[in-house]
Amino acid sequence: TGVQTCALPIYRIVELPFDLAQELLQSKMKEIRKRIETILLKWNQEDPDVFQQLTREGNIPEAEMDAIGIGNLMERLQEFEKIYTNL
């Protein structure tokens, strides 16, 4: 008896006033951009893609966890930007 589980994200549909939805998304996107900027400043970098590439190539080996973190933050930012665009 093989039981399979699947970890799918669960979404709920919530009704919000348009301006509140915009404000919440803008706030979250601003927070994510600030976190990305903080990591880049720590490593004296300006571009998240270049930073990730340098880390992958071994030029900044001690930055691996931050490069992974920036990748995750950039994915989240893209998700929020897509939602914002589709409001």
Side-chain angles (χ1 to χ4, degrees), residues 11-73:
Y11 296 99
R12 291 186 181 198
I13 296 174
V14 179
E15 290 189 32
L16 295 173
F18 181 76
D19 58 337
L20 177 59
Q22 275 188 316
E23 186 177 325
L24 290 171
L25 285 167
Q26 287 171 345
S27 175
K28 190 63 178 174
M29 290 186 297
K30 182 178 178 180
E31 175 190 327
I32 292 171
R33 286 185 188 106
K34 186 175 180 178
R35 289 173 64 190
I36 290 170
E37 185 64 26
T38 299
I39 294 170
L40 291 174
L41 286 172
K42 174 182 173 182
W43 296 103
N44 197 28
Q45 297 294 313
E46 295 180 12
D47 184 280
D49 294 320
V50 172
F51 172 65
Q52 287 182 304
Q53 185 64 35
L54 288 171
T55 304
R56 262 193 299 277
E57 292 171 352
N59 295 319
I60 316 174
E62 60 277 2
E64 186 175 332
M65 292 306 293
D66 282 337
I68 292 168
I70 277 190
N72 293 335
L73 289 168

